[in-house]
Amino acid sequence: PATADASGAHSAAPVEAEAQSPLVLAMQPYLQQAAKVEAAQPVVAHYLRVHIVEQLLRAKKRGELDAQARGLLLATLEEAEAKKAALDLASGPQQMEAHARRIFRA
């Protein structure tokens, strides 16, 4: 599900766990992490959203995409595309690697 922020941009917000599709549930940790780091590390948040989109597209190719997951895919893709223009992604891979190292050290 998408929510609108103060600028009117949609955000793929973490979804309540009750009666959620397995795909949506599987994407929750990535959604939560993206929301958590958005202000301080927008490039990391972007790549987390890209990962969600990639995973849901793979599920679609396998014929496993349900209505909830389709909604999440569209909302996340829309958000990633809307925010991408404002980001400098040149150091994105290095930022993601540093973020992953911090997470796994914790």
Side-chain angles (χ1 to χ4, degrees), residues 16 48 62 94 104:
E16 293 300 320
L48 289 164
R62 293 189 306 265
Q94 293 85 0
F104 291 110

Side-chain angles (χ1 to χ4, degrees), residues 13-94:
V15 181
E16 293 300 320
E18 188 175 334
Q20 294 302 309
S21 80
L23 284 171
V24 171
L25 287 173
M27 296 300 107
Q28 290 305 301
Y30 303 102
L31 285 169
Q32 291 165 354
Q33 189 65 25
K36 180 179 176 182
V37 302
E38 181 71 43
Q41 297 177 292
V43 171
V44 170
H46 172 74
Y47 280 106
L48 289 164
R49 286 189 290 272
V50 168
H51 177 72
I52 293 165
V53 169
E54 290 172 345
Q55 294 304 307
L56 293 173
L57 286 173
R58 286 186 185 121
K60 181 180 179 187
K61 286 181 183 179
R62 293 189 306 265
E64 299 172 358
L65 201 67
D66 57 38
Q68 289 178 349
R70 182 179 312 276
L72 179 60
L73 170 61
L74 295 175
T76 306
L77 182 58
E78 181 180 302
E79 181 177 9
E81 287 298 318
K83 292 182 177 180
K84 181 179 178 181
L87 299 174
D88 177 5
L89 300 176
S91 66
Q94 293 85 0

